[in-house]
Amino acid sequence: TTTPLTTTTTTPLTTTTTPPTTPPIPPKVDDEKESLLRARDEVIAKLKADHEANEASTRKTLRSVQEKYVVLVQTYKNQIKEKQDKIAHLEARIRTDRATHKREESLVVSAIYDLGQRVIDANLAEAHHHQHHNGTPPPHRRSSAGSSVLSTMNE
């Protein structure tokens, strides 16, 4: 037996067409669909919750790593700055030490020159004094302190 898709009823004045009625779904099939839909919704809800938890955990871990990274980078930048400051200080100290050394070297050379001039002047004065009083040149003296290039030249 087949059921017609539509039913036509004819009365002398009107004709009406009624749509076919779907046969009622037995309660067992309806309950199975509902339980499958509920199970699917529960799985979807659990997956969403797991996804959100994983996302939150990942954000937290990433934030922690980024904070540690920022702290390390800042620490290294500070160390580099300290090293650069120390290098600049040492370079300035080297410049001042070199200038001081050069100045001291010039002072030593000048002092030696002055000392030599005084020795020459003293020898000349002594020679002049002997010539005026005795009329003879002074005797040659050799001592370990007086034996220099200048005293050798005077002989």
Side-chain angles (χ1 to χ4, degrees), residues 29-96:
V29 172
D30 195 30
D31 285 343
E32 285 178 22
K33 285 183 183 180
E34 285 296 320
S35 72
L36 286 174
L37 287 174
R38 271 193 305 275
R40 184 197 69 173
D41 290 343
E42 288 172 6
V43 168
I44 289 173
K46 184 178 179 340
L47 289 174
K48 282 183 181 178
D50 289 347
H51 175 72
E52 289 173 8
N54 286 337
E55 211 172 69
S57 173
T58 302
R59 273 193 226 109
K60 182 180 176 183
T61 303
L62 181 61
R63 194 173 318 119
S64 172
V65 168
Q66 284 175 334
E67 288 171 1
K68 289 177 185 175
Y69 176 77
V70 167
V71 168
L72 283 175
V73 166
Q74 190 60 44
T75 301
Y76 292 145
K77 283 182 179 180
N78 292 342
Q79 288 176 355
I80 288 171
K81 173 106 173 72
E82 288 172 8
K83 299 289 184 192
Q84 288 172 336
D85 291 346
K86 187 174 183 177
I87 288 170
H89 170 74
L90 292 173
E91 287 174 342
R93 185 173 169 189
I94 287 172
R95 282 191 298 275
T96 57

Side-chain angles (χ1 to χ4, degrees), residues 108-119 121:
V108 167
V109 168
S110 177
I112 290 173
Y113 178 80
D114 288 343
L115 182 61
Q117 282 300 113
R118 279 192 243 148
V119 168
D121 289 344

Side-chain angles (χ1 to χ4, degrees), residues 87-154:
I87 288 170
H89 170 74
L90 292 173
E91 287 174 342
R93 185 173 169 189
I94 287 172
R95 282 191 298 275
T96 57
D97 286 352
R98 283 183 182 158
T100 302
H101 175 73
K102 195 170 190 175
R103 188 173 44 252
E104 288 173 353
E105 185 178 42
S106 295
L107 289 172
V108 167
V109 168
S110 177
I112 290 173
Y113 178 80
D114 288 343
L115 182 61
Q117 282 300 113
R118 279 192 243 148
V119 168
I120 291 172
D121 289 344
N123 286 340
L124 287 175
E126 187 180 331
H128 182 67
H129 177 67
H130 273 286
Q131 262 185 341
H132 269 279
H133 291 289
N134 297 340
T136 61
H140 292 301
R141 292 182 286 165
R142 278 199 184 235
S143 69
S144 60
S147 63
S148 68
V149 173
L150 291 176
S151 64
T152 308
M153 290 172 55
N154 285 338

